């Protein structure tokens, strides 16, 4: 084989490539062969001997070693400072993404609501339907733009910090040298700039998209039917003020003004924001109050505290605490207030506190059979297993006695924290809505614990604040979930089936079932009674906020009489109202006071087989019995073991009265003669 010929371009001799030696990391960049051993503090750079006699003559210098160490220490501090911003950005990013997702979900929910409502209308509604859809898209677009811009800004800030931190960590992993000094200084400046950059670390919008769609008087108001409602209020800028934050007196209404503001601190001028208020007593139970929407961006929270002590008030806007929340309240007795000292001024308030002057429901002409109960005593604690048969009082024409009480404060089975709603089944079960323990507990008619179910959360099938409970004729358990703003339906053994009222309800408190199997929901926040099919389809609704005959002020619970009429306790109007299923007022009785037939904020209600109405009188800590026309009959005898803030009540299948004694963290069963 012939030896291949070399190409004309190739050389017969090997070519040796000489590489330049690597630069000395400690060499001077200006003077070849010189080693930098000093640091010029005035110029912030490394220098050699020749530099000192040249451009840096007369400057203050120091050995390079300590200067390098000092620079490294400063760089590490900047790195740690920059890293501290990442968790805050990450948390805010998650929150804003969640709000953005909820906003999108609300848009989807309202789209379905609009579609469902307009399916039952004729062609003349199509134009208005298009207008509403346009309003929805415009409102959603404006809010989505703000949230998306914030997400993009946070993502950019997060990425810049992460990239700079990674680059700095790589630099720090290498050996400190004069050659990297300038680069490290640049990194330090970059980290400082990123650390101090003004990222939007509070949500700049909310997820509210609500639809107001009233069908009353539809033929007369078809042109202006419906509106997409929202605000730009954010919790981080909204604030509370008023005498109710400064001085509270036992038994007297206190008022707090809430001013909602947008992301820039500007006052919001429209209402309908999702605001919640909770007053916690020293023992962990909750006191109800009423939120009044002035429709101008300000709200009034009016509440009455039943005893002295230190309380806590939590005010939340879109489930986030407003400025200063939770607030600490000190409640005193009237005799502890110096009469010579005037009430503290509320100069910071932007709207005066509204006086709570509830309607005094008419009960004129009603018979008064019986006397006022003995003077109320301070609630006494007894062992949860104790059975009591109190001494009968001759003034009580119906001899009703305590049979037993179950419960104490706690989170285990048979223990309660702010129990509220009560229901009784035809199969001999007592059901308790254990609000702050996020569960329902079930007992036999004899008080034996049977089971409990409920998982805390805000997803379907979970409970956040169960306040009302009822049993459907099918055996299903129906639960009003105040904080989740819907009603959940479970099987008799606690398995989740469905939810209803989502996107319609604002704060469902009580729930019951009529003779047709319809689910009746008392919405405490919207002051409305809703009637649903178990499938979730809305049949009708009635009521609004106010003190008129067909209005409510913080309604609580409901029951159904033999005529399938709906009986509602009107908490702040201190009355009980009876309506037809169509929302027409049949009867109204009760007024504010402590006498026979008067109320101080009624709560639970039940009806016996004779049509008598049994009412829990929360503020007076008693149970009153009325006939079907609203005439006072008697009291349930509770003097041996006094009630303290009773809530829901029901009649068991054995004919006894069971009541949630919320302030004493137990439920009590009384003998009741019909």
């Amino acid at each position: 084989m012939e030896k291949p010929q070399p190409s004309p371009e190739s050389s017969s001799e090997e070519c040796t490539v000489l590489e330049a030696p690597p630069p000395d990391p400690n060499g001077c960049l200006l003077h070849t062969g010189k080693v930098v051993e000093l640091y010029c503090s005035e110029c912030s750079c490394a220098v050699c001997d020749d530099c000192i006699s040249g451009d840096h003559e007369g400057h203050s210098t120091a050995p390079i070693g300590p200067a390098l160490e000092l620079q490294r220490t400063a760089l590490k501090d900047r790195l740690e400072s920059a890293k501290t911003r990442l968790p805050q950005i990450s948390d805010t990013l998650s929150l804003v993404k969640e709000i953005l997702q909820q906003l999108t979900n609300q848009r989807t929910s309202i789209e379905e609501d609009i579609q469902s409502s307009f399916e039952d209308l004729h062609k003349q509604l199509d134009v208005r339907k298009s207008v509403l859809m346009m309003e929805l898209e415009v409102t959603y677009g404006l809010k989505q733009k703000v949230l998306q811009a914030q997400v993009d800004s946070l993502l950019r800030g997060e990425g810049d910090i992460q990239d700079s931190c990674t680059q700095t960590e790589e630099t720090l992993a290498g050996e400190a040298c004069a050659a990297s000094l300038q680069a490290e200084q640049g990194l330090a400046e970059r980290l400082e700039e990123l650390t101090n950059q003004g990222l939007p670390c509070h949500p700049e919008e909310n997820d509210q998209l609500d639809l107001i769609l009233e069908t009353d008087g539809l033929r007369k108001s078809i042109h202006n039917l419906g509106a997409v409602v929202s605000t730009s209020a954010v919790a981080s800028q909204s604030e509370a003020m008023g005498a109710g934050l400064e001085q509270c007196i036992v038994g007297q209404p206190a008022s707090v003004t809430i001013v909602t503001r947008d992301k820039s601190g500007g006052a919001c001028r429209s209402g309908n924001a999702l605001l919640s208020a909770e007053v916690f007593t020293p023992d962990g139970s909750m006191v109800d109050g009423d939120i009044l929407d002035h429709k101008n961006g300000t709200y009034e929270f009016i509440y009455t505290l039943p005893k002295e002590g230190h309380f806590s008030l939590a005010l939340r806007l879109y489930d986030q605490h407003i400025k200063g929340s939770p607030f600490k309240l000190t409640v005193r007795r009237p005799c502890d207030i110096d009469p010579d000292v005037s009430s503290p001024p509320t100069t910071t308030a932007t709207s005066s506190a509204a006086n709570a002057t509830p309607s005094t429901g008419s009960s004129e002409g009603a018979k008064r059979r019986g006397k006022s109960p003995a003077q109320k005593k301070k609630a006494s604690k007894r062992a949860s297993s104790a059975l009591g048969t109190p001494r009968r009082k001759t003034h009580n024409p119906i001899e009703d006695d305590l049979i037993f009480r179950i419960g104490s404060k706690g989170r285990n089975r048979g223990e309660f924290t702010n129990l509220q709603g009560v229901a009784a089944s035809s199969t001999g079960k007592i059901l308790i809505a254990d609000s702050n323990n996020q569960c329902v507990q079930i007992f036999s008619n004899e008080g034996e614990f049977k089971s409990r179910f409920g998982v805390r959360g805000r997803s379907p099938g979970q409970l956040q604040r169960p306040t009302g409970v009822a049993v459907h004729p099918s055996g299903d358990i129906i639960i009003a979930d105040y904080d989740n703003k819907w009603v959940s339906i479970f099987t008799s053994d606690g398995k989740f089936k469905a939810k209803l009222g989502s996107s319609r309800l604002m704060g469902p408190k009580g729930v019951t079932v009529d003779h047709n199997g319809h689910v009746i929901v008392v919405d405490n926040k919207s002051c409305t009674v809703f009637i649903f099919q178990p499938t979730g389809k809305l049949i009708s609704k009635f009521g609004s906020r106010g003190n008129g005959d067909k209005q409510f002020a913080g309604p609580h619970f409901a029951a159904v009489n033999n005529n399938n009429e709906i009986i509602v306790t009107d908490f702040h109007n201190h009355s009980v109202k009876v309506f037809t299923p169509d929302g027409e007022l049949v009867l109204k009785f009760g007024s504010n006071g402590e006498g026979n037939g008067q109320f101080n904020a009624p709560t639970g209600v039940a009806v016996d087989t004779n049509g008598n109405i049994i009412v829990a009188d929360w503020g007076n800590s008693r149970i009153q019995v009325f006939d079907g026309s609203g005439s006072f009959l008697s009291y349930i005898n509770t003097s041996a073991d006094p009630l303290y803030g009773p809530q829901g009540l029901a009649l068991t299948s054995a004919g006894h009265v069971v009541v949630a004694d919320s302030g004493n963290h137990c439920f009590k069963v009384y003998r009741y003669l019909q």
Side-chain angles (χ1 to χ4, degrees):
M1 182 179 294
E2 294 183 359
K3 190 175 182 179
Q5 298 293 322
S7 63
E9 293 82 5
S10 64
S11 171
S12 61
E13 297 181 359
E14 293 185 359
C15 180
T16 301
V17 178
L18 298 178
E19 296 182 357
D24 184 357
N26 294 317
C28 180
L29 299 177
L30 300 177
H31 304 96
T32 305
K34 293 290 185 177
V35 176
V36 293
E37 297 177 343
L38 299 173
Y39 178 79
C40 178
S41 56
E42 296 183 19
C43 301
S44 300
C45 63
V47 296
C48 66
D49 293 338
D50 289 352
C51 294
I52 294 175
S53 59
D55 295 338
H56 299 273
E57 185 177 1
H59 291 185
S60 176
T61 59
I64 189 65
L68 289 173
E69 185 63 29
L70 184 62
Q71 175 67 30
R72 278 293 175 101
T73 301
L75 186 57
K76 290 178 180 178
D77 291 341
R78 297 284 172 78
L79 176 63
E80 292 303 318
S81 178
K83 284 184 174 180
T84 58
R85 290 296 304 276
L86 291 175
Q88 181 189 15
I89 294 175
S90 178
D91 292 344
T92 305
L93 183 60
S94 298
L95 177 59
V96 174
K97 284 183 175 179
E98 180 182 353
I99 294 174
L100 182 59
Q101 181 61 48
Q102 290 173 350
L103 177 67
T104 304
N105 293 342
Q106 281 294 94
R107 182 191 67 166
T108 302
S109 177
I110 291 177
E111 283 179 340
E112 295 173 356
D113 210 8
I114 293 173
Q115 295 288 355
S116 174
S117 298
F118 276 88
E119 283 177 358
D120 299 331
L121 302 178
H122 296 290
K123 292 181 179 180
Q124 62 265 34
L125 296 179
D126 289 340
V127 173
R128 185 59 185 168
K129 173 184 174 182
S130 299
V131 172
L132 283 176
M133 296 296 288
M134 184 181 302
E135 286 182 17
L136 176 62
E137 290 301 322
V138 169
T139 306
Y140 168 78
L142 294 173
K143 296 168 77 71
Q144 187 267 353
K145 183 178 180 180
V146 173
L147 290 170
Q148 189 61 56
Q150 186 177 9
V151 168
D152 294 340
S153 177
L154 290 170
L155 286 173
R156 286 194 300 270
E158 182 184 50
D160 291 344
I161 292 178
Q162 287 178 339
D163 291 342
S164 295
C165 288
T166 300
Q167 185 178 358
T168 303
E169 288 171 341
E170 292 174 355
T171 300
L172 291 173
E175 184 177 352
C177 62
S180 63
L181 182 61
Q182 189 171 0
E184 292 181 2
Q185 289 175 344
L187 287 173
E189 292 173 357
R190 177 60 173 162
L191 287 173
E192 182 178 12
E193 177 186 351
L194 292 174
T195 302
N196 296 325
Q197 64 179 327
L199 291 176
C201 287
H202 293 287
E204 295 183 342
E205 252 295 4
N206 58 62
D207 61 346
Q208 185 188 10
L209 277 176
D210 289 332
L211 175 71
I212 294 179
L213 193 64
E214 298 289 345
T215 57
D216 295 339
L218 180 59
R219 295 185 182 275
K220 296 180 180 180
S221 58
I222 189 74
H223 180 69
N224 297 316
L225 177 65
V228 176
V229 176
S230 185
T231 76
S232 294
V234 294
S236 61
Q237 296 292 335
S238 300
E239 53 192 348
M241 58 200 69
L245 295 178
E246 300 163 356
Q247 177 173 287
C248 301
I249 302 175
V250 174
Q252 296 186 13
S255 174
V256 176
T257 299
I258 299 97
V259 179
T260 57
R261 300 185 183 277
D262 60 23
K263 64 178 182 179
S264 302
C268 296
R269 302 300 181 186
S270 60
N272 297 296
L274 298 184
L275 182 70
S276 65
E278 297 172 328
V279 180
F280 293 93
T281 66
D283 56 15
S285 60
M286 291 197 332
V287 175
D288 289 304
D290 192 31
I291 298 177
L292 178 63
D293 185 353
H294 293 304
K295 303 298 182 181
N296 61 358
T298 67
Y299 304 79
E300 297 292 333
F301 175 54
I302 303 171
Y303 60 96
T304 303
L305 297 178
K307 63 179 181 179
E308 59 185 318
H310 297 286
F311 292 69
S312 174
L313 169 61
L315 295 173
R316 294 183 177 89
L317 185 66
Y318 303 103
D319 290 329
Q320 299 176 48
H321 284 285
I322 69 170
K323 283 184 179 180
S325 177
F327 303 91
K328 294 182 180 179
L329 307 177
T330 300
V331 184
R332 297 181 174 88
R333 294 174 297 177
C335 59
D336 293 336
I337 305 300
D338 187 350
D340 295 329
V341 179
S342 60
S343 299
T346 56
T347 55
T348 58
T350 58
S351 64
S352 60
N355 292 325
T357 42
S359 169
T360 57
S362 174
S363 57
E364 296 179 2
K367 297 180 180 179
R368 294 292 182 240
R369 301 194 295 272
K371 302 177 182 179
S372 297
Q375 184 177 0
K376 292 183 288 182
K377 303 176 183 178
K378 186 177 181 180
S380 59
K381 296 288 183 179
R382 292 171 27 166
S384 60
S385 60
L387 302 180
T389 305
R391 182 162 50 102
R392 288 183 173 87
K393 300 292 183 181
T394 57
H395 69 258
N396 192 349
I398 302 180
E399 296 179 345
D400 305 308
D401 290 322
L402 175 69
I403 302 175
F404 61 83
R405 59 177 281 171
I406 297 293
S408 59
K409 185 179 181 181
R411 297 193 175 276
N412 298 318
R413 64 182 192 176
E415 297 178 338
F416 307 99
T417 306
N418 193 29
L419 67 169
Q420 302 236 338
V422 176
S425 73
S426 59
T427 58
K429 299 292 193 302
I430 296 173
L431 295 85
I432 306 293
D434 192 0
S435 180
N436 286 18
N437 285 334
Q438 292 85 31
C439 70
V440 169
Q441 301 200 45
I442 304 176
F443 301 80
S444 69
N445 277 353
E446 294 73 34
E448 179 186 359
F449 177 84
K450 291 297 184 181
S451 64
R452 62 183 280 180
F453 67 89
V455 176
R456 180 178 182 179
R458 296 188 178 274
S459 300
Q462 297 179 323
L463 301 175
Q464 188 65 22
R465 187 180 167 192
T467 52
V469 60
V471 180
H472 194 272
S474 65
D476 288 341
I477 299 171
I478 304 170
I479 301 172
D481 195 331
Y482 190 90
D483 280 357
N484 276 335
K485 304 178 181 64
W486 63 56
V487 171
S488 296
I489 301 178
F490 294 81
T491 63
S492 58
D493 55 357
K495 292 184 173 60
F496 176 70
K497 290 182 65 175
K499 68 172 183 174
L500 56 87
S502 178
S503 79
R504 293 185 185 272
L505 301 173
M506 296 178 63
K509 175 78 174 182
V511 64
T512 189
V513 181
D514 70 6
H515 300 325
N516 299 319
H518 298 152
V519 178
I520 299 170
V521 183
V522 180
D523 194 321
N524 176 268
K525 276 191 176 182
S526 67
C527 294
T528 304
V529 174
F530 291 83
I531 303 176
F532 294 95
Q533 291 182 354
T535 59
K537 182 178 180 180
L538 178 65
I539 299 174
S540 64
K541 64 179 180 177
F542 60 87
S544 60
R545 187 180 301 277
N547 54 20
D549 287 346
K550 296 183 181 181
Q551 294 181 310
F552 304 103
H556 268 50
F557 294 98
V560 175
N561 64 17
N562 297 332
N563 298 326
N564 206 36
E565 294 168 336
I566 302 169
I567 305 170
V568 182
T569 53
D570 196 352
F571 190 83
H572 288 289
N573 282 333
H574 308 289
S575 61
V576 174
K577 298 175 180 177
V578 183
F579 298 88
T580 67
D582 296 326
E584 295 300 320
L585 182 70
V586 176
L587 174 67
K588 171 184 173 183
F589 62 91
S591 60
N592 188 15
E594 298 182 357
N596 296 346
Q598 293 185 308
F599 301 111
N600 184 4
T603 48
V605 61
V607 181
D608 68 19
T609 55
N610 296 321
N612 295 322
I613 302 171
I614 309 166
V615 182
D617 190 356
W618 178 83
N620 290 325
S621 290
R622 63 187 181 184
I623 301 173
Q624 301 191 67
V625 184
F626 302 82
D627 66 17
S629 64
S631 296
F632 173 78
L633 292 178
S634 68
Y635 300 98
I636 300 289
N637 190 342
T638 64
S639 58
D641 186 9
L643 297 169
Y644 179 44
Q647 289 269 359
L649 61 78
L651 276 170
T652 70
S653 58
H656 299 144
V657 172
V658 55
V659 60
D661 191 357
S662 183
N664 288 322
H665 306 287
C666 67
F667 72 87
K668 296 175 179 176
V669 176
Y670 292 93
R671 192 172 289 109
Y672 177 72
L673 302 179
Q674 300 187 28

